[in-house]
Amino acid sequence: CRWERLNKMVATLQALRPPRAMRWVIRWRWITGSLVVVALAAFFFIHHWWILVLTGGLLVGAFYAYRVAKHRGRIVGEGSEGEALVAKVLDNMTMDARVLHSIQFRSGDKPREIDHLLITHNTMFVIETKYLRGRIVGDVQDREWTLHKRAHKTRSRYKRGFYNPLKQVATQIYHLRSHLESNLSDRWAHECSQIWIQGVVVFAHPQGDASAVVNHEHGVVSIENLPQYLANYRPPSRASRLSYGLRRE
């Protein structure tokens, strides 16, 4: 019965399309190729002086689209590398659980994505991977955390803020529960409501220092400690359960 319940939930989540970020990379690549083809066709088949101006403009646009695709592709590639490391850890665990990667679903008329989902008999782990090189600092309640790092070429130090991943995963949980309750029958929606959903943020970069933010109580772990954290995790008692996903901001 338990695995029947899990299969019902999984059936509402599986999707075959590539992640949304990768779809944008593909779109920019298509734009680049289309502009180049149009520019060449115009140059060879339309014999007017102004075609040189048009061709130049199209090639400039193609170069811009190429740069955007390259930049987005690098970001997606780094994120995919981190997700692959976490996926390998999850797939090699011996827990009695179901593991899904790159989950996609719709909630609130928008597409939603989850890096990894691990489902046991009493807990559903929503796992967000962060593949960040550098030192990460921040507090649980902060809206943004800060990444301190060095530039690749100049080696100069700089910092940038990024949205608190705990708040990010809390929002994912909120929409996941909403999606399941909306797409399952009353019986299975009730069964789903009995499962505790726990958010987990995993820092996976080998050159990342997340020691200042690692907090097992709130589900922030390094990739080295992920198996131990999941194996030892116990959901709170039913009386004290306040859905983590509803504490979003």
Side-chain angles (χ1 to χ4, degrees):
C1 179
R2 172 164 62 91
W3 289 114
E4 183 182 359
R5 174 181 61 188
L6 297 183
N7 289 331
K8 288 284 186 180
M9 290 188 293
V10 167
T12 72
L13 297 173
Q14 289 178 328
L16 299 178
R17 301 180 67 188
R20 184 172 24 164
M22 191 62 207
R23 294 202 296 271
W24 274 109
V25 174
I26 295 172
R27 288 167 187 166
W28 279 107
R29 289 174 178 172
W30 271 102
I31 292 172
T32 302
S34 299
L35 289 175
V36 170
V37 170
V38 172
L40 292 176
F43 180 79
F44 285 108
F45 295 104
I46 303 177
H47 303 289
H48 293 284
W49 64 268
W50 51 264
I51 205 61
L52 295 177
V53 178
L54 176 62
T55 302
L58 290 171
L59 290 178
V60 169
F63 179 72
Y64 173 78
Y66 167 76
R67 293 293 299 271
V68 172
K70 183 178 180 181
H71 176 69
R72 286 178 175 262
R74 179 178 60 81
I75 295 175
V76 172
E78 291 178 351
S80 299
E81 185 175 350
E83 291 177 20
L85 291 174
V86 174
K88 183 177 180 181
V89 170
L90 295 175
D91 290 338
N92 289 332
M93 291 186 63
T94 57
M95 293 176 61
D96 182 19
R98 180 78 175 269
V99 182
L100 299 172
H101 308 295
S102 299
I103 303 303
Q104 299 180 21
F105 60 94
R106 297 191 67 86
S107 176
D109 296 327
K110 292 183 179 180
R112 311 287 176 177
E113 296 179 6
I114 295 175
D115 291 345
H116 314 277
L117 192 66
L118 185 143
I119 310 171
T120 68
H121 68 284
N122 62 357
T123 306
M124 186 184 300
F125 295 95
V126 173
I127 302 174
E128 173 69 21
T129 299
K130 292 299 179 185
Y131 195 68
L132 301 172
R133 179 177 59 87
R135 183 170 61 91
I136 300 102
V137 295
D139 187 74
V140 172
Q141 299 300 328
D142 291 342
R143 176 175 174 77
E144 286 192 342
W145 288 0
T146 304
L147 173 65
H148 298 264
K149 61 186 300 186
R150 287 182 178 272
H152 279 292
K153 295 182 179 180
T154 64
R155 306 303 298 168
S156 59
R157 294 180 181 272
Y158 71 96
K159 62 181 181 180
R160 68 174 178 87
F162 62 98
Y163 187 57
N164 185 337
L166 283 174
K167 295 183 181 296
Q168 177 185 352
V169 79
T171 302
Q172 293 173 342
I173 292 172
Y174 173 85
H175 288 290
L176 174 62
R177 188 177 290 281
S178 176
H179 168 83
L180 292 174
E181 292 177 353
S182 300
N183 289 272
L184 293 172
S185 64
D186 292 342
R187 173 196 172 190
W188 297 112
H190 175 73
E191 290 279 342
C192 173
S193 68
Q194 305 306 306
I195 296 180
W196 174 257
I197 303 181
Q198 174 64 27
V200 182
V201 178
V202 183
F203 287 93
H205 201 294
Q207 297 179 16
D209 178 10
S211 57
V213 296
V214 166
N215 185 326
H216 287 197
E217 179 182 356
H218 290 92
V220 184
V221 301
S222 63
I223 191 171
E224 295 81 9
N225 295 324
L226 178 61
Q228 180 183 3
Y229 171 83
L230 295 174
N232 295 334
Y233 181 82
R234 297 295 181 270
S237 63
R238 190 174 302 275
S240 63
R241 289 188 181 188
L242 173 62
S243 176
Y244 177 53
L246 296 179
R247 302 203 303 268
R248 65 193 185 101
E249 295 183 7

Short mmCIF file of all heavy atoms in Angstrom, two decimals, residues 8-9 11-13 105-108 175-186 188-189 192:
data_model
loop_
_atom_site.label_atom_id
_atom_site.label_comp_id
_atom_site.label_asym_id
_atom_site.label_seq_id
_atom_site.Cartn_x
_atom_site.Cartn_y
_atom_site.Cartn_z
N LYS A 8 1.53 6.69 -6.94
CA LYS A 8 0.51 7.66 -7.30
C LYS A 8 1.09 9.07 -7.30
O LYS A 8 0.81 9.87 -8.19
CB LYS A 8 -0.66 7.58 -6.31
CG LYS A 8 -1.53 6.33 -6.45
CD LYS A 8 -2.45 6.43 -7.65
CE LYS A 8 -3.39 5.24 -7.70
NZ LYS A 8 -4.31 5.31 -8.86
N MET A 9 1.88 9.38 -6.28
CA MET A 9 2.48 10.71 -6.20
C MET A 9 3.49 10.93 -7.31
O MET A 9 3.53 11.98 -7.95
CB MET A 9 3.14 10.89 -4.83
CG MET A 9 2.16 11.00 -3.68
SD MET A 9 2.97 11.45 -2.14
CE MET A 9 3.97 9.99 -1.84
N ALA A 11 3.64 9.60 -10.20
CA ALA A 11 3.02 9.72 -11.53
C ALA A 11 2.61 11.14 -11.85
O ALA A 11 2.53 11.52 -13.02
CB ALA A 11 1.79 8.80 -11.60
N THR A 12 2.35 11.97 -10.84
CA THR A 12 1.95 13.36 -11.09
C THR A 12 3.15 14.26 -11.28
O THR A 12 3.01 15.43 -11.65
CB THR A 12 1.13 13.91 -9.91
OG1 THR A 12 1.98 14.13 -8.79
CG2 THR A 12 0.01 12.96 -9.54
N LEU A 13 4.37 13.73 -11.07
CA LEU A 13 5.55 14.59 -11.07
C LEU A 13 6.49 14.36 -12.24
O LEU A 13 7.20 15.25 -12.65
CB LEU A 13 6.34 14.37 -9.76
CG LEU A 13 5.61 14.73 -8.47
CD1 LEU A 13 6.44 14.30 -7.27
CD2 LEU A 13 5.36 16.22 -8.40
N PHE A 105 6.86 19.99 -12.32
CA PHE A 105 5.41 19.96 -12.15
C PHE A 105 4.90 21.38 -12.26
O PHE A 105 5.68 22.34 -12.32
CB PHE A 105 5.03 19.35 -10.79
CG PHE A 105 5.58 20.10 -9.60
CD1 PHE A 105 4.83 21.07 -8.96
CD2 PHE A 105 6.87 19.84 -9.13
CE1 PHE A 105 5.34 21.78 -7.88
CE2 PHE A 105 7.38 20.54 -8.05
CZ PHE A 105 6.61 21.50 -7.43
N ARG A 106 3.59 21.52 -12.30
CA ARG A 106 2.98 22.85 -12.40
C ARG A 106 2.21 23.15 -11.12
O ARG A 106 1.51 22.29 -10.58
CB ARG A 106 2.05 22.95 -13.60
CG ARG A 106 2.76 22.79 -14.94
CD ARG A 106 1.84 23.18 -16.09
NE ARG A 106 1.55 24.60 -16.08
CZ ARG A 106 2.32 25.52 -16.65
NH1 ARG A 106 3.44 25.17 -17.27
NH2 ARG A 106 1.98 26.80 -16.62
N SER A 107 2.34 24.39 -10.68
CA SER A 107 1.60 24.85 -9.51
C SER A 107 1.44 26.36 -9.63
O SER A 107 2.40 27.06 -9.94
CB SER A 107 2.34 24.50 -8.21
OG SER A 107 1.67 25.04 -7.09
N GLY A 108 0.22 26.83 -9.40
CA GLY A 108 -0.01 28.26 -9.54
C GLY A 108 0.17 28.75 -10.95
O GLY A 108 0.64 29.86 -11.18
N HIS A 175 4.64 24.59 -2.99
CA HIS A 175 4.02 24.32 -4.29
C HIS A 175 3.92 22.82 -4.56
O HIS A 175 2.96 22.37 -5.22
CB HIS A 175 4.80 25.01 -5.40
CG HIS A 175 4.63 26.49 -5.41
ND1 HIS A 175 3.44 27.09 -5.79
CD2 HIS A 175 5.47 27.51 -5.10
CE1 HIS A 175 3.57 28.41 -5.70
NE2 HIS A 175 4.79 28.69 -5.29
N LEU A 176 4.86 22.04 -4.05
CA LEU A 176 4.78 20.59 -4.23
C LEU A 176 3.57 20.03 -3.50
O LEU A 176 2.81 19.24 -4.07
CB LEU A 176 6.06 19.93 -3.71
CG LEU A 176 6.06 18.40 -3.70
CD1 LEU A 176 5.91 17.85 -5.11
CD2 LEU A 176 7.33 17.86 -3.05
N ARG A 177 3.38 20.42 -2.26
CA ARG A 177 2.22 19.93 -1.52
C ARG A 177 0.92 20.39 -2.18
O ARG A 177 -0.04 19.61 -2.31
CB ARG A 177 2.26 20.42 -0.07
CG ARG A 177 1.20 19.79 0.80
CD ARG A 177 1.31 20.23 2.24
NE ARG A 177 2.47 19.68 2.91
CZ ARG A 177 2.54 18.45 3.38
NH1 ARG A 177 1.53 17.62 3.21
NH2 ARG A 177 3.62 18.03 4.01
N SER A 178 0.89 21.63 -2.64
CA SER A 178 -0.29 22.14 -3.33
C SER A 178 -0.58 21.34 -4.60
O SER A 178 -1.72 21.00 -4.90
CB SER A 178 -0.10 23.62 -3.67
OG SER A 178 -1.18 24.11 -4.43
N HIS A 179 0.48 21.02 -5.34
CA HIS A 179 0.33 20.24 -6.58
C HIS A 179 -0.22 18.85 -6.28
O HIS A 179 -1.14 18.37 -6.96
CB HIS A 179 1.68 20.13 -7.29
CG HIS A 179 1.71 19.12 -8.39
ND1 HIS A 179 1.26 19.39 -9.66
CD2 HIS A 179 2.12 17.82 -8.40
CE1 HIS A 179 1.39 18.31 -10.41
NE2 HIS A 179 1.90 17.35 -9.67
N LEU A 180 0.33 18.18 -5.28
CA LEU A 180 -0.10 16.83 -4.96
C LEU A 180 -1.56 16.81 -4.49
O LEU A 180 -2.34 15.95 -4.90
CB LEU A 180 0.81 16.23 -3.90
CG LEU A 180 2.25 15.94 -4.32
CD1 LEU A 180 3.08 15.48 -3.14
CD2 LEU A 180 2.30 14.92 -5.45
N GLU A 181 -1.92 17.75 -3.65
CA GLU A 181 -3.28 17.79 -3.14
C GLU A 181 -4.29 18.11 -4.24
O GLU A 181 -5.45 17.69 -4.17
CB GLU A 181 -3.38 18.81 -2.01
CG GLU A 181 -2.62 18.38 -0.76
CD GLU A 181 -2.66 19.44 0.33
OE1 GLU A 181 -3.16 20.55 0.04
OE2 GLU A 181 -2.18 19.16 1.45
N SER A 182 -3.84 18.83 -5.28
CA SER A 182 -4.75 19.21 -6.36
C SER A 182 -4.88 18.12 -7.42
O SER A 182 -5.90 18.05 -8.12
CB SER A 182 -4.26 20.50 -7.04
OG SER A 182 -4.21 21.56 -6.12
N ASN A 183 -3.85 17.26 -7.54
CA ASN A 183 -3.84 16.29 -8.63
C ASN A 183 -4.08 14.86 -8.20
O ASN A 183 -4.11 13.96 -9.04
CB ASN A 183 -2.50 16.37 -9.37
CG ASN A 183 -2.35 17.64 -10.18
OD1 ASN A 183 -2.75 17.70 -11.34
ND2 ASN A 183 -1.78 18.67 -9.57
N LEU A 184 -4.26 14.64 -6.91
CA LEU A 184 -4.56 13.30 -6.43
C LEU A 184 -6.02 13.23 -5.98
O LEU A 184 -6.63 14.24 -5.62
CB LEU A 184 -3.65 12.94 -5.25
CG LEU A 184 -2.15 12.79 -5.57
CD1 LEU A 184 -1.36 12.63 -4.28
CD2 LEU A 184 -1.91 11.60 -6.49
N SER A 185 -6.56 12.05 -5.99
CA SER A 185 -7.91 11.86 -5.47
C SER A 185 -7.93 12.15 -3.98
O SER A 185 -6.89 12.24 -3.34
CB SER A 185 -8.38 10.42 -5.73
OG SER A 185 -7.56 9.50 -5.01
N ASP A 186 -9.12 12.29 -3.41
CA ASP A 186 -9.23 12.64 -1.99
C ASP A 186 -8.49 11.65 -1.11
O ASP A 186 -7.82 12.03 -0.15
CB ASP A 186 -10.70 12.72 -1.58
CG ASP A 186 -11.41 13.89 -2.24
OD1 ASP A 186 -10.72 14.81 -2.70
OD2 ASP A 186 -12.66 13.88 -2.27
N TRP A 188 -5.89 9.64 -1.85
CA TRP A 188 -4.44 9.73 -1.94
C TRP A 188 -3.93 11.09 -1.48
O TRP A 188 -2.82 11.19 -0.96
CB TRP A 188 -3.99 9.45 -3.37
CG TRP A 188 -4.32 8.07 -3.82
CD1 TRP A 188 -5.22 7.71 -4.77
CD2 TRP A 188 -3.78 6.86 -3.31
NE1 TRP A 188 -5.27 6.34 -4.89
CE2 TRP A 188 -4.40 5.79 -4.00
CE3 TRP A 188 -2.84 6.55 -2.32
CZ2 TRP A 188 -4.10 4.46 -3.75
CZ3 TRP A 188 -2.54 5.22 -2.08
CH2 TRP A 188 -3.17 4.19 -2.79
N ALA A 189 -4.74 12.13 -1.65
CA ALA A 189 -4.35 13.44 -1.13
C ALA A 189 -4.24 13.40 0.39
O ALA A 189 -3.35 14.00 0.99
CB ALA A 189 -5.34 14.51 -1.58
N CYS A 192 -1.12 11.58 1.29
CA CYS A 192 0.03 12.46 1.07
C CYS A 192 0.18 13.45 2.21
O CYS A 192 1.30 13.78 2.63
CB CYS A 192 -0.13 13.18 -0.25
SG CYS A 192 1.12 14.45 -0.55
#
